[in-house]
Amino acid sequence: MRITRRSAAALCVAAALAAAPLAAAVLPSTAAGTDPIGVAARPAEGSTNVIADGSRIVLGDAPVRMGSAEIKQRSGIGNLDPVRFPAATSAVVVDYTTSTPDGSTAEVDVRALVKDRWSEWTPAKAGTPTALPGASDLVQLRIIVVAPPSGAKPWVEDVRVQPTDKAASSGMEVQAAPLKSRVFATREGLVGGTTANGHVIISRDHFVALPSRRGLANNGSGNYSVKVCTTTGTIRCAFEPVWDVGPWNTKDDYWNPSATREMWKDLPQGRPEAQAAYQNGYNGGKDQFGRTVANPAGIDLADGTFWDALKLTNNAWVDTTYLWTGDGGRGTVSITSGYLNVRSTASSTGAVVGMAGKAAQVPVECQVTGQSVSGSQGTSNIWLRVHAGMYVAKAWISAGSFGAC
């Protein structure tokens, strides 16, 4: 068994999508602005397969998950209550104790509320204070525990966080436009399996998987979402939450600048490691687990996204926009299940040119007046343009007002 005491800085990378309301309690700061703040071992909203044991967060008893990465692991996520400091800070230091027996792992991630949106989750590296992407007085910590198929019970305890001014620039300032890259998409399938955030996959499901937990949304949340568009024939787009980790890798945040990628820092931004391994023999043609890469996939699509939203019949290259990596107007798809049709005109008689999944964020370019529609947000004749020639009814979107098209 390995027990480690870590003092770590947390780098919160790239502005995320519009912040969801904080259902969990927000912990107040201590009297002194730079004192460490203890974070209770109380799994908050979005936690999965962890239990609280005194001051510890421990991996739970759920069996091996079956998701996009297809790695035989037991895993758990413990979101902790957000912490508010008395003043905005440019960096934080995290301190905690871990136990990682029998090949298991445990880490603490952090994110910050910047420009009213949550930044990307980033592992709290040991020892060195690290800058946030912008000044913030509200941060949240997350515990990730992973173990082999049986036996080990990793845990994290005594989590504390404090602001610091001893950090270099993060190099992750918020972009005006989110990153878009062309990547190879594969179909996930695995109906009945469990994704990395605890979602149980249903038939014709709507979500995507990316090969890093940095952009992994909570189950039922879409504050980390993507826009995925076809590249041939009549263009169709899907707007989906990131609910799983994969394909191939689990630490390949290729949408981030090379210098801040968790692994594979010598690859250019936007190029997945699996693509480089498959096309160019990078890393000996293998993924981070030593498996020979059999296709260049950088994103996995749930069946409903693959077959219904994009009308794909085989794996294909797609243009993917990682919406949390940039600024811009956003709305949230407010439906209880299924998907929302994306139309070619501001009318329910317009051709269906894509779909938006439950809780997904959609980028809003502008708004137009069209057919009156009744939905979860009331009755409205306002439609939002989410891509050139693509509209969704505002009656089903939680959002503010936007300029006219």
Side-chain angles (χ1 to χ4, degrees):
M1 176 180 294
R2 181 161 56 95
I3 299 179
T4 307
R5 185 74 178 179
R6 298 177 180 172
S7 178
L11 171 62
C12 290
V13 186
L17 299 171
L22 296 176
V26 176
L27 301 179
S29 65
T30 53
T34 58
D35 288 347
I37 300 170
V39 186
R42 179 174 59 221
E45 182 181 8
S47 299
T48 178
N49 194 32
V50 292
I51 58 175
D53 182 10
S55 63
R56 296 176 178 175
I57 296 290
V58 185
L59 178 64
D61 295 323
V64 172
R65 75 175 189 87
M66 183 184 232
S68 181
E70 299 178 9
I71 302 298
K72 300 295 184 182
Q73 296 177 324
R74 294 148 49 231
S75 62
I77 299 174
N79 295 323
L80 303 182
D81 290 335
V83 174
R84 189 176 298 281
F85 299 123
T89 182
S90 60
V92 294
V93 173
V94 180
D95 187 58
Y96 53 92
T97 300
T98 68
S99 173
T100 53
D102 303 326
S104 62
T105 63
E107 68 177 41
V108 177
D109 300 340
V110 64
R111 65 179 182 175
L113 196 67
V114 179
K115 296 185 177 181
D116 296 324
R117 295 176 186 171
W118 283 113
S119 68
E120 191 173 88
W121 288 108
T122 297
K125 303 298 181 182
T128 304
T130 310
L132 305 174
S136 177
D137 66 349
L138 189 66
V139 300
Q140 186 177 21
L141 302 177
R142 176 181 75 172
I143 291 167
I144 302 290
V145 279
V146 179
S150 63
K153 284 273 194 171
W155 50 256
V156 176
E157 71 174 354
D158 296 334
V159 179
R160 303 175 72 82
V161 60
Q162 66 187 105
T164 180
D165 58 1
K166 298 177 180 178
S169 171
S170 70
M172 290 300 301
E173 288 72 20
V174 178
Q175 305 172 138
L179 177 74
K180 181 175 77 172
S181 64
R182 181 162 293 185
V183 295
F184 194 69
T186 49
R187 184 179 68 85
E188 177 160 349
L190 300 175
V191 173
T194 303
T195 68
N197 72 356
H199 171 71
V200 177
I201 302 171
I202 63 173
S203 178
R204 313 301 272 223
D205 217 337
H206 279 262
F207 66 88
V208 305
L210 292 176
S212 168
R213 285 188 175 87
R214 287 187 169 186
L216 178 66
N218 291 337
N219 188 5
S221 167
N223 60 339
Y224 304 107
S225 292
V226 296
K227 177 174 74 172
V228 184
C229 301
T230 56
T231 59
T232 60
T234 301
I235 302 302
R236 297 178 64 90
C237 293
F239 304 82
E240 305 287 4
V242 182
W243 283 355
D244 204 3
V245 177
W248 296 111
N249 295 303
T250 62
K251 292 183 179 292
D252 184 25
D253 52 322
Y254 61 83
W255 49 88
N256 281 323
S258 299
T260 60
R261 281 172 77 151
E262 193 170 3
M263 293 181 70
W264 327 116
K265 295 179 183 293
D266 54 338
L267 290 177
Q269 184 179 18
R271 185 173 177 82
E273 188 276 341
Q275 182 180 334
Y278 182 80
Q279 294 179 333
N280 307 112
Y282 180 84
N283 192 42
K286 301 182 182 301
D287 67 4
Q288 76 182 74
F289 302 101
R291 300 176 299 179
T292 298
V293 175
N295 61 52
I299 188 171
D300 262 350
L301 310 177
D303 288 352
T305 306
F306 189 95
W307 285 325
D308 303 326
L310 299 181
K311 297 293 185 184
L312 295 176
T313 58
N314 206 346
N315 299 333
W317 294 93
V318 295
D319 286 332
T320 303
T321 304
Y322 314 88
L323 295 175
W324 67 92
T325 65
D327 265 338
R330 299 285 188 273
T332 301
V333 178
S334 183
I335 56 179
T336 56
S337 62
Y339 58 87
L340 178 67
N341 282 322
V342 178
R343 302 281 182 174
S344 63
T345 64
S347 169
S348 59
T349 61
V352 176
V353 290
M355 295 174 180
K358 172 187 173 183
Q361 294 282 328
V362 293
V364 180
E365 298 177 349
C366 54
Q367 65 181 41
V368 300
T369 302
Q371 179 188 10
S372 183
V373 173
S374 296
S376 63
Q377 304 303 297
T379 300
S380 174
N381 65 353
I382 300 299
W383 288 67
L384 307 176
R385 192 174 80 189
V386 294
H387 185 83
M390 297 187 183
Y391 302 86
V392 292
K394 193 173 186 295
W396 295 103
I397 303 293
S398 176
S401 297
F402 301 90
C405 296

